[in-house]
Structure formats: C-alpha cells, structure tokens
Amino acid sequence: MIDHTGHLSLTIEEAPAHSLSIRPTSGGLAFSITVCAEQEASFTSFLPYASVGTPIGQQIEELYYQNEWLAFPYATTTLYYEPHEAVLVPEELLTPGQEGLWLSPGRDHATERLAGLDTPRVALSVGLLEEGKSLVLSWDQRAYSFLRRRHSTLEPLPYFIPLLVQRRADSQKARGHELVLVLREEGVDCLLLLGGELIAFNSYPIVRLLDAEQVAGEVMFYASTLWRHFGLSSASDRIHIVHSEEGTEATVAILRASAQRLRDILARYVTTVGVEPYRVLALR
C-alpha cells in the first residue's frame, strides 16, 4: 500500500480490504487507512485544503476531486467531525428523525441568513446506550451530504468519542468528578465524568486562536463557570486538559501552548490537573 518513496499506493481493487477514517479540520483533512485484517492504521497523513476561507464542504469536495483514492469503495468509512453544537439528551426523550429539535432553540435563522452567517447544518446523534443517553450534534450539511454520497458505509462520529471511551474507563477507577477540557481550533468541549458516566457536556467557542495567554484565559473562564455550577471540589475532583494535534502546524502549536498555560493557571486552584495531546485517528 506504500510505495518505495513512502507515498500511498492503493488501487480501487484493493480498497474493499481496507477501512478509511477521516477527520476534517479547518486547515485540512487528517486521514488514516487500515488493513481490515490487521486492525492497525497502515497509513496516516494530513491533506491541507487547497483554498482558504471557503466553506468546509467546498474544501472537502476539492480534496476528493484532487485525490480520487479518497472515494474508493472501502469496507468501512468513519467520519470524525467537529460538531457545531452538541447536547446531552435522555434516550427516552429522543425521537428518531427529530434530533434537530434539541439544537439551537433560540437561534434566529432568518437574521443569520440575511447577514450571511447561517450555514445549513444536519442533525446527528450518537447513543451512549449503557448510560441511557444520547448526544445530539450538528455538522455542516453540505460536507455531510457530499461524504454520504461518496461513501455508502459512512459512519459519522463526533471527534471526541474515542477520547470519551478512554476517559470513561479511567474515571471508573477513580473517585470524584473529572472535568475534561478538549481544546480545538474553533472551541473547547467540556465533558464532566463521574464513575465512568458522562453527566454533563458543554461546548464554548474560542474567539481568536492567536495568543496562548488569551486562549488560556478564555478556557479558564468557561472551566471555572462549570466548576462553580456543579459545586466541584479542588481537593477531591480533577481536571484533564486535552489539546488536538491534528491540523496545521500553526494551529497545533498554539493549542499545545494554550494547554500548557491553562494547566499552569488551573494548578494554582485545583490539586490534580493533567494535560495530554490528542490524535483521534491514533486512538481507534
């Protein structure tokens, strides 16, 4: 599958024996290809978008037209997307086909459309069946529709699901709450765990990803708000900071610096604060 120059060499006939995982970011498309029989990624790389400032749906379409192997008939294709919105919903209250009713009830779509800010989104969900809950999320409709047409076996999952599985397992072995702060280019996702169960979820935007000190201050505000709201203890509860390492070099660098600075600030107030890098494709 990899030629003598280290580049991908895969034919359409070989594709059904492989699985494809993709993670769109604002800077490009991270991907990995796995031989089904081996269950380990055989080739992982990053494709930067050709154009800057265009809708993510258009950027993904351009990459697929430039790299025809992306649309090969793989055995399975997993899409790890960064949701625009997400809400935790009890399973018994969720009606199939009506997931979108849980998202943005206060959004003024008409005003946003007139201002050119309204991007069509598709409502998706993922069940946490052992907890009796589901996450209802939204993502770019154009990008999702394009990928669904290209991949009949497409499975969409929020990018943090492999991390959630890992942190839930660790949470089962520990006492107290764990507040997980996942830093990505466009925001921070906050997951509150207790005894292996996800009990709360919130996402907040990062206004400008330019300065590590500024980003750390923003996330600190969100974290302290959640900390006070749930009445967490600085002695018995803990914080785990995670920063994405999938994206452009500049984005990865600022997220890494922001996470380190955030840990330094939070360590003044909370006894246990951890930090780690996160590559979703490496945790499959």
Side-chain angles (χ1 to χ4, degrees):
M1 186 171 65
I2 303 174
D3 64 21
H4 68 281
T5 65
H7 293 89
L8 179 66
S9 176
L10 183 71
T11 66
I12 193 170
E13 292 79 15
E14 295 170 329
H18 299 74
S19 62
L20 172 69
S21 297
I22 55 176
R23 185 195 170 191
T25 71
S26 60
L29 188 73
F31 72 92
S32 69
I33 296 177
T34 302
V35 178
C36 296
E38 298 177 4
Q39 295 300 311
E40 290 187 6
S42 303
F43 189 87
T44 301
S45 191
F46 182 80
L47 296 171
Y49 295 134
S51 55
V52 179
T54 56
I56 188 171
Q58 178 179 333
Q59 293 172 327
I60 291 174
E61 289 172 11
E62 291 174 351
L63 281 183
Y64 267 68
Y65 295 144
Q66 295 162 2
N67 302 274
E68 62 177 12
W69 52 265
L70 282 171
F72 281 177
Y74 296 97
T76 60
T77 302
T78 305
L79 162 67
Y80 291 104
Y81 62 94
E82 295 188 4
H84 295 292
E85 307 165 83
V87 60
L88 194 60
V89 180
E91 190 69 30
E92 65 270 16
L93 299 180
L94 191 63
T95 302
Q98 298 185 14
E99 292 85 354
L101 296 177
W102 290 92
L103 299 170
S104 298
R107 278 183 72 193
D108 186 344
H109 292 271
T111 300
E112 291 182 4
R113 194 175 296 109
L114 289 172
L117 301 175
D118 186 44
T119 301
R121 298 173 183 174
V122 60
L124 304 167
S125 66
V126 57
L128 307 176
L129 300 181
E130 62 272 29
E131 298 184 15
K133 306 170 187 174
S134 285
L135 277 165
V136 177
L137 317 100
S138 69
W139 194 53
D140 187 274
Q141 187 176 60
R142 174 177 174 176
Y144 179 74
S145 297
F146 174 81
L147 291 171
R148 176 62 74 185
R149 291 194 303 270
R150 293 298 181 277
H151 300 287
S152 61
T153 60
L154 187 71
E155 180 185 10
L157 291 173
Y159 79 100
F160 54 76
I161 284 296
L163 174 67
L164 175 59
V165 172
Q166 180 192 71
R167 299 314 305 171
R168 283 168 63 185
D170 292 344
S171 174
Q172 287 178 333
K173 307 170 187 175
R175 294 182 178 180
H177 296 80
E178 179 177 79
L179 178 59
V180 183
L181 306 173
V182 190
L183 277 63
R184 53 187 172 97
E185 183 168 7
E186 297 183 356
V188 55
D189 295 310
C190 308
L191 299 82
L192 185 61
L193 301 167
L194 177 63
E197 180 181 354
L198 178 65
I199 62 173
F201 181 93
N202 267 296
S203 291
Y204 301 98
I206 291 178
V207 179
R208 299 184 68 189
L209 195 73
L210 296 176
D211 177 75
E213 189 75 28
Q214 179 180 337
V215 173
E218 279 189 56
V219 178
M220 174 66 184
F221 172 77
Y222 299 138
S224 60
T225 299
L226 291 172
W227 196 266
R228 291 193 300 269
H229 177 77
F230 289 99
L232 303 183
S233 167
S234 60
S236 59
D237 299 316
R238 58 202 180 278
I239 292 178
H240 194 74
I241 305 166
V242 181
H243 55 93
S244 173
E245 294 241 323
E246 289 164 321
T248 63
E249 289 186 10
T251 296
V252 169
I254 192 68
L255 288 174
R256 185 183 300 124
S258 300
Q260 296 294 337
R261 180 58 183 141
L262 179 60
R263 180 184 62 177
D264 294 342
I265 298 173
L266 287 171
R268 304 172 190 168
Y269 311 100
V270 181
T271 302
T272 306
V273 181
V275 62
E276 70 167 317
Y278 175 47
R279 287 183 176 273
V280 60
L281 301 183
L283 288 179
R284 292 184 64 252

